[in-house]
Amino acid sequence: MSARVSRRAVLAGVAPLLALAAASSPAREPAQADRAVGLGGTGGEPWPGETRAARGARSLVLGHRADPSLLQDLARRADTAAERVSGVLSVSVRPLVLVPASAAEAARLAGVADVEGLAAVADGSRVVVVPGTFDRLTPTGRDVVLTHELTHVAAGTGGLPPWLYEGFADYVAYRDAGLSVPVAAAELAAEVRASRPPRRLPEPGDFAPGSARLAAVYQEAWLACRYVAERRGEDTLVRLYRDARTRGAARALTAAGLPAARLTAGWRAYVREKLA
């Protein structure tokens, strides 16, 4: 993608996956065939003469003079992330992960101005890891980040409101992460317990970088998608997502029996149920 998609910073030994930076613009889309049968090729050696590689069962990880043990660990994690994404989307996912030598190099690869506060960026048919920020994540945090970004690559984001594509990516990322809802949605839980539950689904402006409520906004989006999956079934959520990409979110929600007003009312009650 050309989009910045930021992921949660993780506090080791405390509530993992807390405050995040933001997502800005929608992703550059990979070809449909790439999403269905695998995530693209390397496009040549990214760092001629200085590229190191590690292969997993499904994944290819390329690093710029990177530690081989880091690349092997990433290949294992990318395999796990691919299995999780495939399990929800029922498509074959073969990750390509790039590990640049610096954050500046990561920004150049992803085609963005900067990657401050980001752990990884989905870019077309690949995921670019941001050195430093990614290194500070816990093991669970690394798995969640890779799964989230691979979901963007495999499912696409074009034509969707941010609450749906970010919420869906977090739904897939958290689905098998072993985290309770109050832990993964700690910021939103604090607001609910302070009698400040959400009143509406997140709007595009709520995802602006630097927002004081950004972590809670991502959690609202996640729980909207989790609500659909839990109450109507995961297949319904996946169909809704795909339908929204072709027909638009409003028409897809109506076709699923979840027009915006009904979805919002059910989601608000669900948030209170899970976090109060």
Side-chain angles (χ1 to χ4, degrees):
M1 301 179 191
S2 58
R4 297 187 352 167
V5 182
S6 62
R7 306 309 319 129
R8 289 172 178 71
V10 179
L11 301 181
V14 193
L17 308 175
L18 301 182
L20 266 174
S24 60
S25 59
R28 187 167 67 238
E29 294 288 334
Q32 180 65 36
D34 284 345
R35 289 199 300 273
V37 300
L39 303 187
T42 66
E45 186 178 352
W47 305 283
E50 297 182 333
T51 302
R52 295 176 179 172
R55 288 189 178 273
R58 298 174 178 232
S59 61
L60 173 63
V61 181
L62 302 177
H64 189 187
R65 300 192 303 268
D67 183 344
S69 64
L70 169 63
L71 301 184
Q72 290 291 346
D73 180 68
L74 277 170
R76 289 191 296 271
R77 294 187 186 282
D79 281 348
T80 297
E83 290 174 5
R84 292 176 177 179
V85 175
S86 296
V88 175
L89 293 175
S90 299
V91 297
S92 176
V93 179
R94 303 185 65 81
L96 171 61
V97 180
L98 302 186
V99 186
S102 67
E105 192 172 81
R108 288 195 298 272
L109 284 170
V112 298
D114 69 81
V115 289
E116 182 180 357
L118 309 189
V121 180
D123 174 49
S125 61
R126 63 195 187 182
V127 173
V128 180
V129 167
V130 180
T133 308
F134 189 87
D135 298 341
R136 292 192 292 272
L137 297 176
T138 65
T140 298
R142 294 182 183 192
D143 290 341
V144 167
V145 164
L146 287 173
T147 306
H148 179 106
E149 302 303 340
L150 281 176
T151 301
H152 282 320
V153 170
T157 62
L160 299 177
W163 76 262
L164 184 52
Y165 67 74
E166 295 295 359
F168 185 74
D170 267 355
Y171 169 77
V172 180
Y174 284 121
R175 178 177 177 266
D176 298 312
L179 299 172
S180 69
V181 172
V183 167
E187 288 77 15
L188 183 57
E191 293 183 357
V192 171
R193 291 165 187 159
S195 299
R196 289 183 284 116
R199 297 182 178 277
R200 56 166 175 76
L201 289 169
E203 296 177 350
D206 298 328
F207 291 87
S211 167
R213 293 195 66 251
L214 194 57
V217 168
Y218 270 85
Q219 292 155 14
E220 289 172 353
W222 167 50
L223 290 180
C225 290
R226 194 178 191 274
Y227 163 73
V228 174
E230 188 169 304
R231 295 293 195 262
R232 299 294 185 92
E234 185 174 273
D235 288 347
T236 297
L237 175 62
V238 174
R239 284 195 302 272
L240 167 65
Y241 193 92
R242 288 173 170 157
D243 193 24
R245 291 216 56 208
T246 58
R247 299 206 294 167
R251 293 179 66 185
L253 286 168
T254 299
L258 288 168
R262 181 179 299 173
L263 171 63
T264 300
W267 160 72
R268 292 184 66 209
Y270 181 77
V271 168
R272 291 191 296 270
E273 172 192 329
K274 296 296 181 180
L275 299 180

